[in-house]
Amino acid sequence: MRKQSLVKGTLILGLASIFTRLLGLFFRIPVQNLIGDEGMGYYQLSYPLYAVFIAISLGIPVAVSKMVSERIAVNDRSGIIQTLRYSILLMGFLSLGFTGFLFAFAKNIVSILKWDPKSYYSLICIAIAPIFIAVLSCLRGFFQGLQNMTPTAISQFLEQLGRVVFGVGLAYFLIPKGIQYAAAGASLGASIGGLIAGLYLLFKYLRVRKEICVKKIKKDKKIMDELLRIAIPISMAAAVSGVIGLIDSILVPQKLLEAGFNYQNSTILYSQLTGKAAVLINVPLGLSVALGYSLVPIISEAHVLNRDLEMKNKINTALKLAFIIAMPSLFGLFFMSHPILNLIFKGQVGGYNILKYLSLSVPFIILAQTTTSVLQGTNNCKKPVVNLLFGCIVKAILTYILVPIPKMNIYGAVIGTIAGYALASLLNIIELKRYFNIKINYYDIIIKPTYSAVIMTFFVVFIYKYVYNYTMSINISCIVSVFLGIVIYGILTIVFGVFQYKAIKKRLIRR
């Protein structure tokens, strides 16, 4: 199977991720209209626990990606298959244990965390999803290790399509029984989507398995030891990152009550933070996640073959890509938060200021994700865990202190998120420079994309107002200005020399 370059792999996964996240908005728009901010609050309260499982188990597919890439480099075909088998075994235990725990203690969790009792049904339905995600994530790690991102990209589309079709359908079917049941039906869509995507990747694997041509696989217990050694620190890092979202789930509703809000209003504010603002923030983050998935196997291969110069070049390219993604996302969401929310949620613009200020966290989140992937790809897995833990502590402290202040309320959680990721990304950069002895060209990596993003924003705002004066339509103005903004930004990155056209063409065609 032919390998893909860092830029090409990132582009394939990134476009798939953005497309599937936009497709996910087609899930949220009808569901939002059906159950409103209150119902989305029930859905969102349970989702961070599922995200914690994803975070805890994330180390295994990333470890699979790294180990498969290293074994391909030394032509260890038997080790490739063994790595996948052990990973599925581990994920099976994790998923069954997590699902069983949520089924057994769902009512206790709702009570202890002081959630609205109606959120119980969503929690039960989301508890099923880990069973289907287990095999799916391992197979994605396998194909990423082969440095072929296309199967993962297609599986992401299928997973989201299943979630949209069945999640919206169940929500619509159950709405007559009550908002809480419709929210639960929407949660169940995640499980069905995971099942569909998993079946597709299993079919793809069976075809690739024939190409690998391994007749007899020798059992090697060292593979399991290596898998655990790599996966545990990565899972811890991902779990800490997931805990940042869980902190909001635990602290924000409670602290909003202390700030003087009732249950309903605190649920609505929490929904605006996590069900609207965070969802739109996650759209550009899809590109950075794709960058991380592409980066780990490529960095791992260069590291195991001692290609230091190639590795440093890949790191610089990755950091540049990170800020090319981050800066236009920051400025676009900050200055266009109101029309974007109006477009996506059909006039339900409550929470647009939350989105506006939460967008300030985007560069720090993307930088933290990218630098973590670099460190993980070179067996330096523990340091990002510690750095994210420090960020998590800062996030928790600020959320705990600021949210109960009536004038601050939900924005205290936003400040905590920005500060937490800023600290984690700064500590990762320090470790990166120390570990690799690498010189970072801040002008090329940060300043040039910022120039391009600022000029792009000027044009976007001007175009938006100009089109609005003619059409008197917020939605048409938003679509036209954002589309032209993407085109303008692409041109500006070439004009400012962020990337040379020839270099982009070369990276897309070959490694």
Side-chain angles (χ1 to χ4, degrees), residues 449-469:
T450 303
Y451 284 158
S452 302
V454 169
I455 297 172
M456 175 210 72
T457 304
F458 173 81
F459 278 105
V460 167
V461 173
F462 175 79
I463 293 168
Y464 173 79
K465 291 182 178 180
Y466 183 82
V467 175
Y468 182 77
N469 287 336

Side-chain angles (χ1 to χ4, degrees), residues 338-375:
H338 187 281
I340 287 173
L341 269 187
N342 186 80
L343 172 67
I344 300 301
F345 294 105
K346 293 186 177 180
Q348 297 189 36
V349 295
Y352 77 90
N353 272 326
I354 300 174
L355 172 61
K356 180 177 182 178
Y357 294 111
L358 189 62
S359 68
L360 297 173
S361 68
V362 169
F364 301 116
I365 298 174
I366 290 178
L367 184 57
Q369 290 175 339
T370 304
T371 50
T372 294
S373 294
V374 171
L375 293 169

Side-chain angles (χ1 to χ4, degrees), residues 178-373:
I179 291 175
Q180 65 272 32
Y181 297 106
S187 298
L188 194 58
S191 303
I192 301 173
L195 174 62
I196 294 170
L199 290 173
Y200 161 75
L201 282 182
L202 185 60
F203 172 75
K204 291 293 293 183
Y205 166 73
L206 292 175
R207 293 183 63 182
V208 172
R209 177 71 174 80
K210 294 179 181 179
E211 294 178 22
I212 296 175
C213 294
V214 180
K215 294 181 180 180
K216 188 176 182 181
I217 300 173
K218 298 178 181 179
K219 291 186 178 180
D220 186 356
K221 294 183 179 179
K222 291 182 180 179
I223 291 179
M224 176 64 88
D225 295 337
E226 184 181 354
L227 186 65
L228 289 170
R229 179 175 55 80
I230 297 172
I232 289 173
I234 295 174
S235 290
M236 289 175 66
V240 171
S241 182
V243 166
I244 291 180
L246 189 59
I247 286 170
D248 284 339
S249 176
I250 294 171
L251 290 181
V252 170
Q254 294 184 36
K255 296 302 172 183
L256 285 173
L257 293 175
E258 293 180 18
F261 295 90
N262 59 27
Y263 271 111
Q264 184 179 19
N265 288 333
S266 65
T267 301
I268 289 171
L269 276 176
Y270 177 78
S271 173
Q272 290 173 353
L273 172 65
T274 60
K276 288 182 177 178
V279 167
L280 289 172
I281 291 293
N282 280 334
V283 172
L285 294 185
L287 277 171
S288 69
V289 171
L291 175 59
Y293 285 153
S294 300
L295 191 58
V296 170
I298 289 175
I299 291 289
S300 297
E301 182 184 53
H303 180 66
V304 78
L305 296 175
N306 295 317
R307 297 173 180 169
D308 292 340
L309 181 60
E310 178 186 342
M311 188 165 57
K312 289 181 180 181
N313 288 336
K314 297 296 184 186
I315 292 170
N316 271 303
T317 300
L319 291 175
K320 189 180 291 187
L321 282 170
F323 279 97
I324 286 174
I325 296 165
M327 301 319 294
S329 303
L330 162 60
F331 285 99
L333 289 171
F334 188 88
F335 287 98
M336 296 288 289
S337 59
H338 187 281
I340 287 173
L341 269 187
N342 186 80
L343 172 67
I344 300 301
F345 294 105
K346 293 186 177 180
Q348 297 189 36
V349 295
Y352 77 90
N353 272 326
I354 300 174
L355 172 61
K356 180 177 182 178
Y357 294 111
L358 189 62
S359 68
L360 297 173
S361 68
V362 169
F364 301 116
I365 298 174
I366 290 178
L367 184 57
Q369 290 175 339
T370 304
T371 50
T372 294
S373 294

Side-chain angles (χ1 to χ4, degrees), residues 112-171:
I112 292 170
L113 298 182
K114 297 182 180 179
W115 291 351
D116 191 308
K118 293 179 181 178
S119 63
Y120 166 79
Y121 304 100
S122 293
L123 180 57
I124 285 294
C125 285
I126 203 72
I128 302 170
I131 296 173
F132 301 104
I133 298 301
V135 175
L136 172 63
S137 59
C138 291
L139 288 170
R140 282 176 175 168
F142 173 79
F143 284 106
Q144 288 156 17
L146 296 178
Q147 295 180 36
N148 183 349
M149 306 300 158
T150 304
T152 295
I154 295 173
S155 73
Q156 287 177 345
F157 169 75
L158 291 174
E159 181 183 8
Q160 192 68 282
L161 183 64
R163 180 168 172 257
V164 170
V165 172
F166 289 96
V168 173
L170 287 169

